[in-house]
Amino acid sequence: MNSPPRHHASLTRTLLAGALALITSDATAGAWSGHAALQGRIYTQSPADPRQHDDVGSVSFQPEYYHSWNANRDSFLLVPFVRWDQHDDERSHADLRELTWTHAAPSWELRAGVRKVFWGVTESQHLVDIINQTDLVEDPDGEDKLGQPMVNLAWVRNWGTLDLFVLPYFRERTFPGSTGRLRPPLAVDTDQARYESAREQRHVDAAVRWSHYLSDWDIGLSHYSGTRRDPRLVPGFDDQGAPVLVPHYDLIQQTGLDVQMTRGAWLWKLEAIYRHGQGDGYYAATGGIEYTLFGIGDGSADVGLVAEYLYDERGAKATTPFQNDVMVGLRLALNDVQSSAALLGAIVDSDSGATFYSLEASRRLGHQWKVDLEARAFVDVPVSDPLYGLHRDDYLQVELGYYF
Amino acid sequence: MRIRMLLIALLALSWLPTSPAAQTAEERGLAIAAEADQRDSGFQDFIANMTMILRNRQGDESVRAIRSRTLEVHGDGDKSLVIFDEPTDVKGTAFLSYTHAIRPDDQWLYLPALKRVKRISSANKSGPFMGSEFAYEDISSQEVEKYTYKYLRDEKLERLDTFVVERYPVDKDSGYTRQVVWMDQAHYRAMKIEFYDRKNSLLKTLVNKGYQQYAGQYWRPDAMHMENHQTGKTTTLQWHDYQFRTGLTERDFDKNSLKRVR
């Protein structure tokens, strides 16, 4: 379970100042929105571990409160999240996704509190994106993130935006528990997490990022210094003497570059990182294209073609399954009243032939409902691949969401 | 703006040696477009709320709620930010566009669930905006240079004296071969536009209703009704709460601002 993050005193003061301004200002009334969803997952193969299950039901709720004042120069955002899972106590969890006060001045912005920040341009994986911890129990694609406590000062000039981040508290990655699927063959015992820093979760991480846009080009250059988000998983034993994996969080330095060139119907994308601090330094990169055919069929649907190459200099020693892989994808948007859309993709390991298939599709029902379909398959995964633990976990997921 | 002023100056000069009667239909069409543009310039910025009502042939309705902010840019096309409130599953999604007279527009989409600002291709001119009968090119800033023109005739349209002008998109990605615009002679407001598809068949008709004047100069319609003759679908945009010169700046239209809006 994730305990709510504790804030530094300075952060608390900043938030209090924001809250006070909220109460005493000429504010207009805030507004609640959000969504609730019912989710069902069916696994097509029997589990590798008898403690796991063939199907699972789950419910999630994510309300959102937004309030702005001072002619929209100040805003407050609160987004709690909670999920209940039928079988897995680790997946039943709550998180504070956002608790943010933002102040926008003509040449700078201050954003303080718990936030989510995204960096990057590619589709198959997000190498450069490092501010937020992955909420891995939500979905194996790693797109869901835990709220990160921070103070972020953005300096906005005609040469671009320079973002400075101070990250005073570390969030541990969530992992499915022993009864959950989509995990390594051994369950991860998050209670035993170990840190390189003696300050453990209280190590203060920091990051800086410059981003800019010049006609066809969008570019970002970043550096992160602090605790790695993706732990090494080291074999160990739990308190009953059963074998488990223990997450180890090293201190790292990571420099990242993300570039996109947008020309006509073509998007050219590149993300590259250099990381050191966890053994030898290494490079990793993702690059590719997205090309869209607009107005096919009856004239309104779009078909997008995505192709990316995923590289990690460490090769077979890489802690990621994507060290020499090719991703191909097909994106379909019907542009109809229900916003029907689908994304079909495959990531193929050029060395082993192991393939990860993914289908995501969604369609609005009426005005406030939406149905999401997700199917994932892991085919021909060798024992040496970090994805091996998932080789029996092909699944089909249907989610019905109500949005208010 | 500077481009427009230059155009108007050139036009004025071109009139000098000859009488207006010797003007070609193309020159007259361009002069009308330039005059309409001139009358609508200097607004600085405006904001408005929009309700979009989509109807199919069976009469089923679907409603969208959108807020729009526009910033006038001197020497280039306008900047606009569109924020979606409904349908509720796309609430907080925002669309930022820097329009340009000749080169392609720069466009970004903000996806609130991922907190991701995504640069998108602006080549989808003819694609439907939010599943409606309005294409992206119908709602984007109408710069004079985006078309070539031909004056057709004067005509009465519901008791209004109008100019009827044909215009031809310069951009090869446009979904139209031509548009026919009925513009009232008193105020240079587009009252009706017919859109002809790539096969030069009548595709859609737009009728603008309930024009009101803001800031003592700028005319905006309360309702824009688009009918697709080929599918029988219609879309009505109802505009509310227009406000001009609200003091918006470039900072309200940068990539940082996308993450702040709700």
Side-chain angles (χ1 to χ4, degrees), chain B residues 209-228:
Chain B
K209 298 259 186 210
Y211 269 103
Q212 294 193 51
Q213 197 173 26
Y214 298 90
Q217 182 177 353
Y218 308 104
W219 293 92
R220 293 289 182 276
D222 284 345
M224 301 169 78
H225 183 75
M226 183 77 91
E227 180 176 2
N228 186 319

PDB file of all heavy atoms in Angstrom, chain B residues 209-228:
ATOM      1  N   LYS B 209     -26.165  33.664 -38.093  1.00  0.00           N
ATOM      2  CA  LYS B 209     -27.342  34.422 -37.670  1.00  0.00           C
ATOM      3  C   LYS B 209     -27.051  35.249 -36.423  1.00  0.00           C
ATOM      4  O   LYS B 209     -26.172  34.917 -35.643  1.00  0.00           O
ATOM      5  CB  LYS B 209     -28.480  33.449 -37.311  1.00  0.00           C
ATOM      6  CG  LYS B 209     -28.963  32.588 -38.455  1.00  0.00           C
ATOM      7  CD  LYS B 209     -30.249  33.143 -39.029  1.00  0.00           C
ATOM      8  CE  LYS B 209     -30.811  32.190 -40.071  1.00  0.00           C
ATOM      9  NZ  LYS B 209     -31.555  32.874 -41.113  1.00  0.00           N
ATOM     10  N   GLY B 210     -27.845  36.284 -36.240  1.00  0.00           N
ATOM     11  CA  GLY B 210     -27.824  37.046 -34.987  1.00  0.00           C
ATOM     12  C   GLY B 210     -26.530  37.795 -34.745  1.00  0.00           C
ATOM     13  O   GLY B 210     -25.961  37.725 -33.653  1.00  0.00           O
ATOM     14  N   TYR B 211     -26.043  38.490 -35.775  1.00  0.00           N
ATOM     15  CA  TYR B 211     -24.812  39.261 -35.590  1.00  0.00           C
ATOM     16  C   TYR B 211     -25.009  40.361 -34.551  1.00  0.00           C
ATOM     17  O   TYR B 211     -26.016  41.076 -34.570  1.00  0.00           O
ATOM     18  CB  TYR B 211     -24.387  39.897 -36.914  1.00  0.00           C
ATOM     19  CG  TYR B 211     -23.457  39.019 -37.725  1.00  0.00           C
ATOM     20  CD1 TYR B 211     -23.914  38.299 -38.817  1.00  0.00           C
ATOM     21  CD2 TYR B 211     -22.104  38.937 -37.393  1.00  0.00           C
ATOM     22  CE1 TYR B 211     -23.053  37.509 -39.572  1.00  0.00           C
ATOM     23  CE2 TYR B 211     -21.240  38.152 -38.142  1.00  0.00           C
ATOM     24  CZ  TYR B 211     -21.717  37.435 -39.224  1.00  0.00           C
ATOM     25  OH  TYR B 211     -20.861  36.661 -39.955  1.00  0.00           O
ATOM     26  N   GLN B 212     -24.047  40.489 -33.649  1.00  0.00           N
ATOM     27  CA  GLN B 212     -24.048  41.609 -32.707  1.00  0.00           C
ATOM     28  C   GLN B 212     -22.689  42.288 -32.774  1.00  0.00           C
ATOM     29  O   GLN B 212     -21.682  41.651 -33.058  1.00  0.00           O
ATOM     30  CB  GLN B 212     -24.287  41.109 -31.284  1.00  0.00           C
ATOM     31  CG  GLN B 212     -25.672  40.512 -31.095  1.00  0.00           C
ATOM     32  CD  GLN B 212     -25.988  40.322 -29.631  1.00  0.00           C
ATOM     33  OE1 GLN B 212     -25.851  41.248 -28.839  1.00  0.00           O
ATOM     34  NE2 GLN B 212     -26.398  39.120 -29.279  1.00  0.00           N
ATOM     35  N   GLN B 213     -22.712  43.591 -32.472  1.00  0.00           N
ATOM     36  CA  GLN B 213     -21.469  44.350 -32.536  1.00  0.00           C
ATOM     37  C   GLN B 213     -20.852  44.462 -31.145  1.00  0.00           C
ATOM     38  O   GLN B 213     -21.547  44.750 -30.177  1.00  0.00           O
ATOM     39  CB  GLN B 213     -21.735  45.740 -33.097  1.00  0.00           C
ATOM     40  CG  GLN B 213     -20.470  46.437 -33.579  1.00  0.00           C
ATOM     41  CD  GLN B 213     -20.754  47.748 -34.285  1.00  0.00           C
ATOM     42  OE1 GLN B 213     -21.779  48.384 -34.027  1.00  0.00           O
ATOM     43  NE2 GLN B 213     -19.864  48.153 -35.167  1.00  0.00           N
ATOM     44  N   TYR B 214     -19.540  44.216 -31.071  1.00  0.00           N
ATOM     45  CA  TYR B 214     -18.824  44.262 -29.792  1.00  0.00           C
ATOM     46  C   TYR B 214     -17.720  45.305 -29.877  1.00  0.00           C
ATOM     47  O   TYR B 214     -17.167  45.545 -30.945  1.00  0.00           O
ATOM     48  CB  TYR B 214     -18.232  42.895 -29.458  1.00  0.00           C
ATOM     49  CG  TYR B 214     -19.278  41.822 -29.306  1.00  0.00           C
ATOM     50  CD1 TYR B 214     -19.684  41.059 -30.403  1.00  0.00           C
ATOM     51  CD2 TYR B 214     -19.896  41.585 -28.077  1.00  0.00           C
ATOM     52  CE1 TYR B 214     -20.647  40.079 -30.273  1.00  0.00           C
ATOM     53  CE2 TYR B 214     -20.875  40.608 -27.936  1.00  0.00           C
ATOM     54  CZ  TYR B 214     -21.238  39.863 -29.038  1.00  0.00           C
ATOM     55  OH  TYR B 214     -22.207  38.906 -28.910  1.00  0.00           O
ATOM     56  N   ALA B 215     -17.386  45.890 -28.720  1.00  0.00           N
ATOM     57  CA  ALA B 215     -16.330  46.903 -28.620  1.00  0.00           C
ATOM     58  C   ALA B 215     -16.523  47.999 -29.673  1.00  0.00           C
ATOM     59  O   ALA B 215     -15.558  48.567 -30.182  1.00  0.00           O
ATOM     60  CB  ALA B 215     -14.948  46.247 -28.763  1.00  0.00           C
ATOM     61  N   GLY B 216     -17.795  48.269 -30.023  1.00  0.00           N
ATOM     62  CA  GLY B 216     -18.120  49.342 -30.947  1.00  0.00           C
ATOM     63  C   GLY B 216     -17.664  49.109 -32.372  1.00  0.00           C
ATOM     64  O   GLY B 216     -17.745  49.997 -33.216  1.00  0.00           O
ATOM     65  N   GLN B 217     -17.175  47.897 -32.694  1.00  0.00           N
ATOM     66  CA  GLN B 217     -16.644  47.687 -34.029  1.00  0.00           C
ATOM     67  C   GLN B 217     -16.838  46.275 -34.578  1.00  0.00           C
ATOM     68  O   GLN B 217     -17.175  46.114 -35.748  1.00  0.00           O
ATOM     69  CB  GLN B 217     -15.138  48.010 -34.049  1.00  0.00           C
ATOM     70  CG  GLN B 217     -14.521  47.867 -35.439  1.00  0.00           C
ATOM     71  CD  GLN B 217     -13.054  48.268 -35.474  1.00  0.00           C
ATOM     72  OE1 GLN B 217     -12.504  48.771 -34.494  1.00  0.00           O
ATOM     73  NE2 GLN B 217     -12.413  48.038 -36.610  1.00  0.00           N
ATOM     74  N   TYR B 218     -16.649  45.271 -33.750  1.00  0.00           N
ATOM     75  CA  TYR B 218     -16.484  43.917 -34.270  1.00  0.00           C
ATOM     76  C   TYR B 218     -17.791  43.134 -34.229  1.00  0.00           C
ATOM     77  O   TYR B 218     -18.426  43.027 -33.188  1.00  0.00           O
ATOM     78  CB  TYR B 218     -15.381  43.198 -33.474  1.00  0.00           C
ATOM     79  CG  TYR B 218     -14.130  44.027 -33.432  1.00  0.00           C
ATOM     80  CD1 TYR B 218     -13.777  44.724 -32.276  1.00  0.00           C
ATOM     81  CD2 TYR B 218     -13.359  44.184 -34.574  1.00  0.00           C
ATOM     82  CE1 TYR B 218     -12.655  45.538 -32.261  1.00  0.00           C
ATOM     83  CE2 TYR B 218     -12.238  44.994 -34.568  1.00  0.00           C
ATOM     84  CZ  TYR B 218     -11.888  45.670 -33.414  1.00  0.00           C
ATOM     85  OH  TYR B 218     -10.795  46.480 -33.399  1.00  0.00           O
ATOM     86  N   TRP B 219     -18.176  42.600 -35.392  1.00  0.00           N
ATOM     87  CA  TRP B 219     -19.426  41.844 -35.518  1.00  0.00           C
ATOM     88  C   TRP B 219     -19.172  40.362 -35.336  1.00  0.00           C
ATOM     89  O   TRP B 219     -18.263  39.807 -35.948  1.00  0.00           O
ATOM     90  CB  TRP B 219     -20.049  42.100 -36.880  1.00  0.00           C
ATOM     91  CG  TRP B 219     -20.517  43.502 -37.061  1.00  0.00           C
ATOM     92  CD1 TRP B 219     -19.814  44.538 -37.593  1.00  0.00           C
ATOM     93  CD2 TRP B 219     -21.802  44.028 -36.703  1.00  0.00           C
ATOM     94  NE1 TRP B 219     -20.560  45.674 -37.591  1.00  0.00           N
ATOM     95  CE2 TRP B 219     -21.803  45.402 -37.060  1.00  0.00           C
ATOM     96  CE3 TRP B 219     -22.956  43.485 -36.119  1.00  0.00           C
ATOM     97  CZ2 TRP B 219     -22.898  46.227 -36.853  1.00  0.00           C
ATOM     98  CZ3 TRP B 219     -24.048  44.304 -35.915  1.00  0.00           C
ATOM     99  CH2 TRP B 219     -24.016  45.666 -36.276  1.00  0.00           C
ATOM    100  N   ARG B 220     -19.974  39.723 -34.475  1.00  0.00           N
ATOM    101  CA  ARG B 220     -19.873  38.282 -34.291  1.00  0.00           C
ATOM    102  C   ARG B 220     -21.279  37.694 -34.282  1.00  0.00           C
ATOM    103  O   ARG B 220     -22.192  38.276 -33.690  1.00  0.00           O
ATOM    104  CB  ARG B 220     -19.186  37.934 -32.958  1.00  0.00           C
ATOM    105  CG  ARG B 220     -17.700  38.314 -32.869  1.00  0.00           C
ATOM    106  CD  ARG B 220     -16.831  37.428 -33.759  1.00  0.00           C
ATOM    107  NE  ARG B 220     -15.408  37.755 -33.655  1.00  0.00           N
ATOM    108  CZ  ARG B 220     -14.810  38.724 -34.355  1.00  0.00           C
ATOM    109  NH1 ARG B 220     -15.501  39.479 -35.188  1.00  0.00           N
ATOM    110  NH2 ARG B 220     -13.519  38.939 -34.210  1.00  0.00           N
ATOM    111  N   PRO B 221     -21.481  36.523 -34.911  1.00  0.00           N
ATOM    112  CA  PRO B 221     -22.819  35.903 -34.928  1.00  0.00           C
ATOM    113  C   PRO B 221     -23.123  35.182 -33.615  1.00  0.00           C
ATOM    114  O   PRO B 221     -22.212  34.679 -32.966  1.00  0.00           O
ATOM    115  CB  PRO B 221     -22.715  34.899 -36.076  1.00  0.00           C
ATOM    116  CG  PRO B 221     -21.273  34.532 -36.131  1.00  0.00           C
ATOM    117  CD  PRO B 221     -20.492  35.736 -35.657  1.00  0.00           C
ATOM    118  N   ASP B 222     -24.395  35.123 -33.249  1.00  0.00           N
ATOM    119  CA  ASP B 222     -24.809  34.334 -32.083  1.00  0.00           C
ATOM    120  C   ASP B 222     -24.913  32.853 -32.436  1.00  0.00           C
ATOM    121  O   ASP B 222     -24.772  32.000 -31.574  1.00  0.00           O
ATOM    122  CB  ASP B 222     -26.194  34.786 -31.584  1.00  0.00           C
ATOM    123  CG  ASP B 222     -26.113  36.102 -30.827  1.00  0.00           C
ATOM    124  OD1 ASP B 222     -24.992  36.491 -30.453  1.00  0.00           O
ATOM    125  OD2 ASP B 222     -27.165  36.726 -30.619  1.00  0.00           O
ATOM    126  N   ALA B 223     -25.200  32.586 -33.697  1.00  0.00           N
ATOM    127  CA  ALA B 223     -25.379  31.191 -34.103  1.00  0.00           C
ATOM    128  C   ALA B 223     -24.793  30.963 -35.486  1.00  0.00           C
ATOM    129  O   ALA B 223     -24.929  31.804 -36.382  1.00  0.00           O
ATOM    130  CB  ALA B 223     -26.855  30.819 -34.102  1.00  0.00           C
ATOM    131  N   MET B 224     -24.128  29.838 -35.637  1.00  0.00           N
ATOM    132  CA  MET B 224     -23.588  29.434 -36.935  1.00  0.00           C
ATOM    133  C   MET B 224     -24.163  28.052 -37.224  1.00  0.00           C
ATOM    134  O   MET B 224     -23.967  27.121 -36.447  1.00  0.00           O
ATOM    135  CB  MET B 224     -22.058  29.375 -36.879  1.00  0.00           C
ATOM    136  CG  MET B 224     -21.424  30.704 -36.493  1.00  0.00           C
ATOM    137  SD  MET B 224     -19.649  30.567 -36.107  1.00  0.00           S
ATOM    138  CE  MET B 224     -18.955  30.485 -37.756  1.00  0.00           C
ATOM    139  N   HIS B 225     -24.893  27.958 -38.327  1.00  0.00           N
ATOM    140  CA  HIS B 225     -25.573  26.704 -38.628  1.00  0.00           C
ATOM    141  C   HIS B 225     -24.969  26.081 -39.881  1.00  0.00           C
ATOM    142  O   HIS B 225     -25.038  26.651 -40.960  1.00  0.00           O
ATOM    143  CB  HIS B 225     -27.070  26.959 -38.817  1.00  0.00           C
ATOM    144  CG  HIS B 225     -27.850  25.711 -39.055  1.00  0.00           C
ATOM    145  ND1 HIS B 225     -28.148  24.826 -38.043  1.00  0.00           N
ATOM    146  CD2 HIS B 225     -28.365  25.186 -40.187  1.00  0.00           C
ATOM    147  CE1 HIS B 225     -28.829  23.811 -38.549  1.00  0.00           C
ATOM    148  NE2 HIS B 225     -28.979  24.003 -39.846  1.00  0.00           N
ATOM    149  N   MET B 226     -24.374  24.899 -39.725  1.00  0.00           N
ATOM    150  CA  MET B 226     -23.733  24.219 -40.853  1.00  0.00           C
ATOM    151  C   MET B 226     -24.546  22.989 -41.223  1.00  0.00           C
ATOM    152  O   MET B 226     -24.859  22.170 -40.368  1.00  0.00           O
ATOM    153  CB  MET B 226     -22.309  23.794 -40.464  1.00  0.00           C
ATOM    154  CG  MET B 226     -21.524  23.149 -41.585  1.00  0.00           C
ATOM    155  SD  MET B 226     -20.886  24.338 -42.785  1.00  0.00           S
ATOM    156  CE  MET B 226     -19.265  24.681 -42.073  1.00  0.00           C
ATOM    157  N   GLU B 227     -24.891  22.876 -42.499  1.00  0.00           N
ATOM    158  CA  GLU B 227     -25.630  21.710 -42.966  1.00  0.00           C
ATOM    159  C   GLU B 227     -24.807  20.971 -44.002  1.00  0.00           C
ATOM    160  O   GLU B 227     -24.301  21.579 -44.952  1.00  0.00           O
ATOM    161  CB  GLU B 227     -26.964  22.143 -43.589  1.00  0.00           C
ATOM    162  CG  GLU B 227     -27.767  20.965 -44.084  1.00  0.00           C
ATOM    163  CD  GLU B 227     -29.140  21.360 -44.619  1.00  0.00           C
ATOM    164  OE1 GLU B 227     -29.456  22.566 -44.630  1.00  0.00           O
ATOM    165  OE2 GLU B 227     -29.869  20.452 -45.036  1.00  0.00           O
ATOM    166  N   ASN B 228     -24.660  19.668 -43.800  1.00  0.00           N
ATOM    167  CA  ASN B 228     -23.974  18.841 -44.784  1.00  0.00           C
ATOM    168  C   ASN B 228     -25.021  18.242 -45.720  1.00  0.00           C
ATOM    169  O   ASN B 228     -25.856  17.452 -45.286  1.00  0.00           O
ATOM    170  CB  ASN B 228     -23.185  17.736 -44.062  1.00  0.00           C
ATOM    171  CG  ASN B 228     -22.326  16.926 -45.004  1.00  0.00           C
ATOM    172  OD1 ASN B 228     -22.745  16.592 -46.115  1.00  0.00           O
ATOM    173  ND2 ASN B 228     -21.115  16.610 -44.570  1.00  0.00           N
TER     174      ASN B 228
END
